[in-house]
Amino acid sequence: MTAELPAARYEIKMAYEPGLLPELRSWIHSHPAGFATTFPPRQVNSVYMDTPDLDSFNDHLSGIPLRHKLRFRWYGEDLTKARGIMEVKTKSERVGWKITQPLEREFDLAGMSWDKIIFELRADTTGVIHEMLCVVRPVVLTVYLREYFASGDGLVRLTIDTDLRAYDQLMSARPNIWFPQLLEQPVIVELKSDKENATYISDILSHFPIRSNRYSKYMTNLSLSLVR
């Protein structure tokens, strides 16, 4: 299949203490923007990939303005069977865009080696995704539960991520889907809109009563693996 062309969007991702989850939900449901649920909650699973020298990780750490991340993403509670999409996510400051390519085959993460999985991913992809797959390896699998909301006018999407888990892949010849790392359990809130509506997100946040910290699942979880 061919990759889908990207559309730029403005994104803000924030991390909060897990004890604030009830207050966060209350704020969202009572917000003047009229947020409402748009999709049932579901588990999101993403295998992030990087070069042997961890170029993507180091670019982020160094504050390189234009950064790229490659991931294999699928949905559902079963980590052993994966049928999903490949994504290259590019970000410049708070503006990001993705190139996505759906995958037709299902991967047996309980029975296949990473070498075999990467070989088949290369066979099923084209363009920049195929080129990146030729020089990367899996480094971390992130798993979380995502809730979906949108403003009443549909211009801003909001998600809440909870129950975050991470599985180190750096030293694994086969997918590690059994032994998660010990990590903190932040609540991640992300707001997204078309780039032209960036100021609308700022207006929405002006009603938000809780301070937050910026957060990257990839950077946080891979950092834990590197200090082990």
Side-chain angles (χ1 to χ4, degrees), residues 55-56 58-68 91-93:
D55 289 340
S56 179
N58 289 315
D59 284 352
H60 196 294
L61 204 61
S62 301
I64 301 298
L66 189 65
R67 304 186 299 273
H68 310 276
K91 197 161 188 180
S92 177
E93 299 299 330

Side-chain angles (χ1 to χ4, degrees), residues 16 35 58 60 72 88 93 109 139 186 190 196 198 205 220:
Y16 298 91
F35 283 105
N58 289 315
H60 196 294
F72 171 35
V88 178
E93 299 299 330
L109 269 64
V139 292
E190 186 169 11
E196 294 76 14
L205 288 175
T220 300

Side-chain angles (χ1 to χ4, degrees), residues 74-218:
W74 72 101
Y75 300 93
E77 298 180 5
D78 189 356
L79 294 182
T80 66
K81 305 295 183 183
R83 175 181 284 134
I85 57 176
M86 288 299 305
E87 297 181 338
V88 178
K89 185 169 184 179
T90 301
K91 197 161 188 180
S92 177
E93 299 299 330
R94 292 190 183 275
V95 176
W97 58 95
K98 293 189 294 187
I99 297 174
T100 64
Q101 191 162 4
L103 302 168
E104 293 186 352
R105 78 175 74 194
E106 182 177 81
F107 293 87
D108 178 12
L109 269 64
M112 299 172 69
S113 69
W114 275 126
D115 283 347
K116 177 63 172 175
I117 292 171
I118 295 297
F119 177 83
E120 294 192 359
L121 286 172
R122 291 171 184 162
D124 286 356
T125 53
T126 58
V128 65
I129 292 177
H130 174 82
E131 293 172 7
M132 293 180 73
L133 281 166
C134 292
V135 295
V136 298
R137 57 172 177 161
V139 292
V140 67
L141 163 64
T142 66
V143 178
Y144 50 88
L145 180 67
R146 170 161 284 183
E147 301 172 47
Y148 299 84
F149 305 87
S151 58
D153 54 17
L155 296 179
V156 174
R157 293 154 303 223
L158 185 152
T159 55
I160 302 178
D161 298 339
T162 55
D163 301 332
L164 180 64
R165 307 198 305 273
Y167 299 79
D168 179 18
Q169 309 297 325
L170 282 171
M171 304 302 293
S172 301
R174 293 179 174 273
N176 167 27
I177 57 175
W178 315 109
F179 305 105
Q181 303 176 86
L182 294 176
L183 72 163
E184 296 179 354
Q185 290 292 322
V187 174
I188 311 302
V189 175
E190 186 169 11
L191 293 100
K192 306 173 185 176
S193 71
D194 293 343
K195 187 170 60 173
E196 294 76 14
N197 297 316
T199 56
Y200 188 22
I201 288 185
S202 298
D203 292 340
I204 286 174
L205 288 175
S206 69
H207 293 272
F208 196 49
I210 309 173
R211 296 177 65 89
S212 68
N213 298 311
R214 296 180 67 178
Y215 190 86
S216 165
K217 299 183 186 76
Y218 172 64

